[in-house]
Amino acid sequence: AQTVTQSQPEMSVQEAETVTLSCTYDTSESDYYLFWYKQPPSRQMILVIRQEAYKQQNATENRFSVNFQKAAKSFSLKISDSQLGDAAMYFCAYRRGNDMRFGAGTRLTVKP
Amino acid sequence: DTGVSQDPRHKITKRGQNVTFRCDPISEHNRLYWYRQTLGQGPEFLTYFQNEAQLEKSRLLSDRFSAERPKGSFSTLEIQRTEQGDSAMYLCASSLPGTGSYNEQFFGPGTRLTVL
C-alpha cells in the first residue's frame, strides 16, 4: 500500500526566509504523481505544486520548488522569501490513477 | 464563484441521527470525490464518481454511508445512525476526466460534522 509520511508536524519560518518541508512516500510503482497542497485556516485546500514521477527536473512555481528524489522516495517543498500568507497546513500527496493518498500535514507558521 | 461548493459548512447532530451533505462540483468536471479529514490528519479517500457512476469506494465507507450523484452533477453524502467517530471534516473535490497530473482535483471548503 502506498503511504505518505510528513515527519514535521509543525515548522516555523521568519518572514522573507526560506523553509523546507519534508515528505517521504512508499510505493512499488514507477509511474505516479506527487503534489503539495496548502490548506489555510478555515479555507479550502489548494494545489501548490505538482511533480510527475517520470520527470527528472524538479518542479518550480514562483517561490515554491520541490526536491524530488525518486530513488529515495523523497519529495520536499522549499518555500523561498516566505510571506505571512504562506501560513497554513501543507499536505504532501501521492497519486496513482484515481488513488490519492495524503500525509498527515505540516503546520507552517510565519513569524513577522 | 465557480469553484466547488459544499453545504452545509457546519453540522452538529446527536448520535443516532441521519445527516446529508451536498457537494456542487465545478460545472465542466465529470469526476467527483469525497474525502474525510479528521483533526491532525490529511484527507482520506472515501469514494469517487465519474458522471453518475460510483466507480470506487474505500473500506472507510461503511454501510452507514451512502453517496449518490443522480444526474452526474451535484452529489450527496448521507450518514445514517451517526456515531461520535463520524465527527470530521468531509471534503468534496472535482476534476476533469483522466489521470494525468493536470487533471487537478479542486477542493471545496468542506462540511464539518460534529456528533454529540
Side-chain angles (χ1 to χ4, degrees):
Chain A
Q2 296 83 9
T3 59
V4 180
T5 302
Q6 293 180 248
S7 59
Q8 306 152 316
E10 297 183 355
M11 291 283 285
S12 68
V13 62
Q14 205 71 33
E15 193 176 7
E17 297 293 307
T18 295
V19 64
T20 298
L21 308 184
S22 301
C23 173
T24 58
Y25 57 95
D26 181 32
T27 185
S28 57
E29 305 293 342
S30 60
D31 186 20
Y32 50 87
Y33 303 96
L34 298 165
F35 305 87
W36 279 97
Y37 280 88
K38 171 185 177 182
Q39 188 176 41
S42 301
R43 295 182 62 186
Q44 58 209 82
M45 198 146 55
I46 58 173
L47 180 66
V48 174
I49 197 165
R50 74 189 108 213
Q51 175 80 42
E52 293 90 342
Y54 64 84
K55 289 188 178 178
Q56 293 184 333
Q57 186 173 7
N58 290 323
T60 62
E61 287 286 344
N62 301 313
R63 298 183 295 108
F64 299 87
S65 62
V66 299
N67 183 3
F68 173 47
Q69 301 290 326
K70 191 172 184 179
K73 297 178 185 177
S74 170
F75 183 61
S76 61
L77 174 69
K78 185 171 81 171
I79 306 174
S80 304
D81 186 25
S82 297
Q83 300 176 358
L84 295 178
D86 294 334
M89 284 291 291
Y90 285 81
F91 293 98
C92 177
Y94 163 104
R95 195 186 91 199
R96 176 172 166 77
N98 290 303
D99 183 8
M100 185 137 82
R101 309 291 176 105
F102 289 84
T106 296
R107 181 175 302 281
L108 179 66
T109 303
V110 181
K111 298 178 181 179
Chain B
D1 187 352
T2 57
V4 179
S5 62
Q6 293 186 246
D7 183 69
R9 294 291 305 276
H10 303 272
K11 178 70 176 180
I12 299 174
T13 190
K14 293 182 179 179
R15 187 177 54 185
Q17 297 295 305
N18 299 344
V19 294
T20 299
F21 311 139
R22 176 180 171 126
C23 170
D24 287 89
I26 293 171
S27 59
E28 61 267 28
H29 288 182
N30 70 343
R31 289 194 173 183
L32 187 148
Y33 306 80
W34 285 100
Y35 292 86
R36 182 177 73 182
Q37 185 179 19
T38 53
L39 201 61
Q41 297 298 318
E44 296 172 290
F45 170 78
L46 292 178
T47 188
Y48 99 90
F49 292 83
Q50 179 158 308
N51 300 312
E52 65 276 10
Q54 187 173 17
L55 296 185
E56 191 172 338
K57 292 194 290 186
S58 161
R59 289 173 295 176
L60 293 174
L61 212 66
S62 75
D63 56 5
R64 296 185 297 105
F65 288 69
S66 63
E68 295 182 346
R69 195 183 183 198
K71 297 181 180 179
S73 56
F74 72 92
S75 175
T76 57
L77 178 67
E78 180 183 16
I79 308 174
Q80 296 181 328
R81 305 180 303 281
T82 53
E83 301 173 356
Q84 288 184 326
D86 296 332
S87 295
M89 177 77 84
Y90 289 85
L91 297 172
C92 177
S94 70
S95 76
L96 291 168
T99 56
S101 70
Y102 287 90
N103 300 109
E104 174 187 343
Q105 292 186 21
F106 291 81
F107 283 83
T111 294
R112 181 169 295 284
L113 173 66
T114 301
V115 181
L116 302 176

